[in-house]
Amino acid sequence: MSNVTIKDLAKLSGVSLATVSRVINQKGYVSQELSAKVLRAVEETGYRPNQAARSLVQRRTDSIGVIVHNLHDPFFYDLLRGFEQAAAEISYNVLFASVLGGDTKSKEKYLQYLSGGVVDAVVMYGSYMSDEEMLRCASPSSSVDYMLIENDIQGFKCNKLLINNVQGAYSAVEYLMGKGHTDIAHICGNPNKKVTIDRLNGYLAAMRDKGLEVQDGYLQQLSADYRNGYARMKSLLALKNRPTAVFCSDDAIASYAVRAALDAGLRVPEDISIMGFDFQTNLPERYRGPDLTTVKQPLYQIGFDSITLLAGQLKKGRFDQPERKVYDTQIVEQETVCGPCR
Amino acid sequence: MSNVTIKDLAKLSGVSLATVSRVINQKGYVSQELSAKVLRAVEETGYRPNQAARSLVQRRTDSIGVIVHNLHDPFFYDLLRGFEQAAAEISYNVLFASVLGGDTKSKEKYLQYLSGGVVDAVVMYGSYMSDEEMLRCASPSSSVDYMLIENDIQGFKCNKLLINNVQGAYSAVEYLMGKGHTDIAHICGNPNKKVTIDRLNGYLAAMRDKGLEVQDGYLQQLSADYRNGYARMKSLLALKNRPTAVFCSDDAIASYAVRAALDAGLRVPEDISIMGFDFQTNLPERYRGPDLTTVKQPLYQIGFDSITLLAGQLKKGRFDQPERKVYDTQIVEQETVCGPCR
DNA sequence: CTGAAAGCGCTTACAG
DNA sequence: CTGAAAGCGCTTACAG
């Protein structure tokens, strides 16, 4: 209500604006006496500094913004834990913005808003092609430090945290082959995301390298969202040359593939093996099937590192050499893969 | 990098600062000619307005902040969907701040930061006693519009969205009685939260009204977090006068109570009935038991309404009459309750 | 140790 | 329709 300013404090305590500022920010030397007077005035008035004025002159906000799609998506569980843990360990404020459905207009709005001096650095999660233009548009005028996760925009110089998707997918298929599978299908995700392409290529490379053929109908492309994994699996099951193993582009898809197999009266993994990717802690929509054998990416670590690295750069002042880190993946053996039973 | 300002634009296009401002904000009349010049300069320089300067003079940020504990907690699934959907439908920016572990210092930091002119309104979720002092401390100096969810701080005038917890718990116990249960225990949650107290009182009132005794050991108090529901359930199962039904303070606790019962070799609900509260879509830690019979609170709606109501108030300008809404609950019959089998 | 003054980048009456 | 000027609330050299 009152909207007290340092001017009021100065008048009330009989000192200059500069002194008030010094006391409030605890920088510069102020005598005990004046300091006490100012502090009393702060107490009396309930004064709180205006952040806008402060960041306007200081050209920094001590805050970091994080932009993700669909904050509610259980996929973000581990990533969020990482962001939050890192946030708790630094003095910067961390603010999250969620772009529902990945709507481009909305994402652009948030990116430009945050880049306009609302935060000192921005983390963007996701492998979205459309981010490139957005960033080229928003970044030149701002002095914000960017951190891209899972999005290696060529020629755009900023911090990047990536995982080795091709290698991860390759190793998954190798793992299935090691169990004796040769009829291995793939349900790939949204083909407009780099991750999807990379994982698809990992699958294809492994098949090729081992001299295995990608049989008719073995490549299923998801439409809409991961729930469509159910229908894609149904299609695979209807094939004459039904695969004995299916590698899915991510765990959410895999969880729906398992549902489809179980609903079709098959046992998983005895009748059909299914692999995912991510090692996502909370699967969507109360998945109750067997725990997915999958390729783990270090989501918690990535979340944690993104914030921690940015905080370090901000503290240092100039961020001339952006970080670029590629994380390795790892097979997690759980309950949805075994050898083929035919 | 460049940090272009309207001054640069004015110089570049040969007009005044005021005109530049008018063009950029599309308010006031500007001739086609000058407008085009300015727009060209914006294009050339990649100019983006400085939000800090803008909000300093306008005394508004067109943003709403949301403070919750542990954004990663699956409990927030529906609430977040509500927040996000509402955010997508309004022009305000919605920024989320997460207080890991509910740390009071950290929460205070975010509250004061946001209240200091970073946003125009703040939503706070949770039934935390400590919020009262925090709010009394942060609010007087700011002109931020507050919205409390599940926290009816007496004498603190602001928007409030509440649910009828006493009534909800009462109806749950009544429901169990309707199924023929008389030996009904209660696992209550964190006793420092109002919700817990209310739900406990609903349980006690229903027991009293129906002339049922709360038998020895039937009141179990959770320690630490919901995972302790497992141990509390074990305690109940060890009683000579083992209850035939257990009403839990929330679904997360109930999910652990079910685990404990199943692990003890009991069938749920045939051997013991268990009820929760919330109708939480995603249960923690890959819960695979039967779907919980529970008391639904309209989490999505509450999330949606909180943002929508604030946006409406902000648009109107003055928010003199705070909203206060109490939502009703509703029994959701699922798989964890049946009649007693003894 | 303290204060007067300039300035951060923008918007907004106020004249014209 | 356009511009000069004041001012939002704060911090920061610069003198003293």
Side-chain angles (χ1 to χ4, degrees):
Chain A
M1 272 315 176
S2 39
N3 262 346
V4 189
T5 72
I6 56 165
K7 232 171 179 169
D8 301 318
L9 294 182
K11 202 169 298 174
L12 217 67
S13 50
V15 302
S16 72
L17 297 181
T19 299
V20 173
S21 177
R22 285 189 196 103
V23 172
I24 286 163
N25 297 300
Q26 308 183 53
K27 61 161 53 164
Y29 298 87
V30 181
S31 68
Q32 281 288 321
E33 197 196 335
L34 294 196
S35 182
K37 277 188 193 168
V38 174
L39 258 17
R40 198 171 312 124
V42 169
E43 196 70 26
E44 275 176 33
T45 56
Y47 168 81
R48 297 293 149 195
N50 178 307
Q51 298 297 338
R54 184 172 268 181
S55 35
L56 176 58
V57 48
Q58 292 192 135
R59 324 186 132 287
R60 85 192 138 75
T61 61
D62 296 322
S63 298
I64 295 173
V66 180
I67 301 178
V68 303
H69 289 197
N70 303 332
L71 207 43
H72 67 270
D73 190 324
F75 170 77
F76 285 114
Y77 179 81
D78 288 297
L79 220 37
L80 280 175
R81 282 200 311 116
F83 290 140
E84 292 176 289
Q85 184 59 48
E89 296 179 11
I90 58 177
S91 60
Y92 292 88
N93 302 294
V94 175
L95 265 21
F96 297 89
S98 175
V99 182
L100 193 60
D103 178 69
T104 310
K105 281 265 167 290
S106 163
K107 191 166 189 175
E108 200 162 0
K109 182 187 79 167
Y110 278 113
L111 181 61
Q112 297 209 347
Y113 177 68
L114 293 178
S115 296
V118 173
V119 295
D120 301 333
V122 171
V123 177
M124 285 186 83
Y125 181 85
S127 171
Y128 303 100
M129 312 272 186
S130 53
D131 286 0
E132 176 159 357
E133 198 200 328
M134 231 178 267
L135 280 162
R136 293 198 191 282
C137 177
S139 67
S141 57
S142 86
S143 53
V144 161
D145 196 9
Y146 293 96
M147 168 70 81
L148 263 37
I149 305 182
E150 272 288 34
N151 206 358
D152 193 5
I153 297 180
Q154 298 302 323
F156 185 73
K157 207 186 159 198
C158 76
N159 298 291
K160 287 170 189 168
L161 260 33
L162 308 162
I163 73 152
N164 206 329
N165 284 301
V166 178
Q167 171 60 38
Y170 193 101
S171 70
V173 177
E174 256 186 341
Y175 172 78
L176 289 170
M177 290 169 179
K179 291 287 181 185
H181 293 279
T182 54
D183 301 340
I184 305 173
H186 178 54
I187 301 180
C188 80
N190 178 345
N192 294 310
K193 292 166 79 170
K194 184 80 173 354
V195 254
T196 305
I197 311 289
D198 285 352
R199 292 176 188 177
L200 168 62
N201 281 322
Y203 161 77
L204 293 173
M207 293 295 274
R208 177 174 19 80
D209 288 358
K210 306 293 173 181
L212 292 181
E213 190 192 353
V214 176
Q215 300 175 43
D216 245 18
Y218 271 29
L219 212 55
Q220 292 283 330
Q221 183 197 324
L222 201 73
S223 62
D225 63 13
Y226 53 76
R227 291 178 189 82
N228 187 244
Y230 192 92
R232 297 281 68 75
M233 188 62 174
K234 285 283 187 206
S235 300
L236 287 173
L237 296 179
L239 294 174
K240 298 144 284 291
N241 54 333
R242 197 173 85 194
T244 61
V246 179
F247 167 57
C248 302
S249 199
D250 64 44
D251 285 351
I253 297 170
S255 75
Y256 271 88
V258 171
R259 285 173 201 240
L262 295 176
D263 286 356
L266 298 179
R267 294 166 303 163
V268 177
E270 293 81 357
D271 297 322
I272 189 160
S273 288
I274 298 175
M275 272 189 90
F277 199 119
D278 287 345
F279 196 51
Q280 180 178 333
T281 299
N282 291 310
L283 271 334
E285 280 95 32
R286 298 180 177 246
Y287 171 77
R288 286 189 194 172
D291 283 336
L292 299 171
T293 294
T294 190
V295 181
K296 172 179 176 169
Q297 57 162 314
L299 291 167
Y300 173 85
Q301 196 62 45
I302 289 172
F304 185 88
D305 288 352
S306 64
I307 300 288
T308 306
L309 287 170
L310 283 180
Q313 290 182 356
L314 291 177
K315 192 149 292 171
K316 276 214 206 85
R318 277 298 67 195
F319 24 96
D320 12 47
Q321 24 200 8
E323 193 83 32
R324 180 195 167 87
K325 231 169 152 174
V326 180
Y327 294 82
D328 278 327
T329 61
Q330 182 189 336
I331 300 279
V332 178
E333 305 196 58
Q334 293 197 114
E335 306 169 344
T336 56
V337 171
C338 67
C341 68
R342 297 181 190 171
Chain B
M1 272 314 179
S2 38
N3 261 349
V4 188
T5 71
I6 55 166
K7 235 172 178 168
D8 301 319
L9 293 183
K11 202 170 298 172
L12 217 66
S13 49
V15 301
S16 72
L17 297 181
T19 299
V20 173
S21 177
R22 285 188 196 105
V23 172
I24 286 163
N25 297 300
Q26 309 183 52
K27 63 161 50 163
Y29 298 86
V30 181
S31 68
Q32 281 288 321
E33 196 196 336
L34 294 196
S35 184
K37 278 188 191 168
V38 174
L39 258 17
R40 198 171 312 126
V42 169
E43 196 69 26
E44 275 175 31
T45 56
Y47 168 81
R48 296 295 148 195
N50 178 307
Q51 297 298 336
R54 185 173 268 183
S55 36
L56 176 58
V57 47
Q58 291 193 138
R59 324 185 132 288
R60 87 193 137 73
T61 61
D62 296 322
S63 298
I64 296 174
V66 179
I67 301 179
V68 303
H69 291 198
N70 303 332
L71 208 43
H72 66 270
D73 190 324
F75 171 77
F76 284 114
Y77 178 82
D78 288 296
L79 220 37
L80 280 175
R81 282 199 312 115
F83 290 141
E84 292 176 289
Q85 184 59 48
E89 297 179 10
I90 58 176
S91 61
Y92 291 88
N93 302 293
V94 175
L95 265 21
F96 297 89
S98 175
V99 183
L100 192 61
D103 178 68
T104 310
K105 282 264 167 289
S106 163
K107 191 167 189 173
E108 201 162 358
K109 182 188 79 166
Y110 279 113
L111 181 59
Q112 296 209 347
Y113 177 68
L114 292 178
S115 296
V118 173
V119 294
D120 301 333
V122 171
V123 177
M124 286 186 81
Y125 182 84
S127 170
Y128 302 100
M129 313 273 188
S130 53
D131 286 0
E132 175 159 358
E133 198 200 329
M134 231 178 267
L135 279 163
R136 292 197 191 285
C137 176
S139 67
S141 57
S142 85
S143 53
V144 161
D145 195 10
Y146 292 96
M147 168 70 80
L148 263 39
I149 304 181
E150 272 290 32
N151 206 357
D152 193 5
I153 298 181
Q154 299 303 323
F156 186 73
K157 208 186 160 200
C158 75
N159 298 291
K160 288 171 187 168
L161 262 31
L162 308 163
I163 74 151
N164 206 330
N165 283 301
V166 178
Q167 171 60 37
Y170 193 101
S171 70
V173 177
E174 256 185 342
Y175 172 79
L176 290 170
M177 290 168 178
K179 291 287 180 186
H181 293 278
T182 54
D183 301 340
I184 304 173
H186 178 52
I187 301 180
C188 78
N190 178 344
N192 294 310
K193 292 166 78 170
K194 184 80 174 351
V195 254
T196 305
I197 312 289
D198 285 351
R199 293 177 187 176
L200 168 61
N201 281 322
Y203 161 77
L204 293 173
M207 293 295 275
R208 179 174 17 81
D209 289 357
K210 306 292 172 181
L212 292 180
E213 192 191 351
V214 176
Q215 299 174 43
D216 245 20
Y218 271 29
L219 212 53
Q220 292 282 330
Q221 183 197 324
L222 201 74
S223 62
D225 63 14
Y226 54 75
R227 290 178 189 82
N228 186 246
Y230 192 92
R232 296 282 67 76
M233 188 64 175
K234 285 282 188 208
S235 300
L236 287 173
L237 296 178
L239 295 173
K240 299 146 285 292
N241 54 333
R242 198 173 85 193
T244 61
V246 180
F247 167 57
C248 302
S249 198
D250 64 44
D251 284 351
I253 297 170
S255 75
Y256 271 87
V258 170
R259 286 174 201 239
L262 295 176
D263 287 356
L266 297 178
R267 293 165 304 163
V268 177
E270 293 80 358
D271 296 322
I272 189 159
S273 288
I274 298 175
M275 271 190 90
F277 200 119
D278 286 346
F279 196 51
Q280 180 177 334
T281 300
N282 290 310
L283 271 333
E285 280 94 35
R286 298 180 177 245
Y287 171 77
R288 286 190 196 172
D291 284 336
L292 299 171
T293 294
T294 190
V295 180
K296 173 181 176 169
Q297 57 163 314
L299 291 168
Y300 173 84
Q301 195 62 45
I302 289 172
F304 185 88
D305 289 352
S306 64
I307 300 288
T308 306
L309 286 171
L310 283 179
Q313 290 182 356
L314 291 177
K315 192 148 294 172
K316 276 215 207 83
R318 277 296 70 194
F319 24 95
D320 12 47
Q321 24 200 8
E323 194 82 31
R324 180 195 167 88
K325 229 167 153 177
V326 180
Y327 294 82
D328 279 326
T329 60
Q330 180 187 337
I331 301 280
V332 177
E333 304 197 60
Q334 293 196 114
E335 305 170 344
T336 57
V337 170
C338 68
C341 68
R342 296 182 186 170

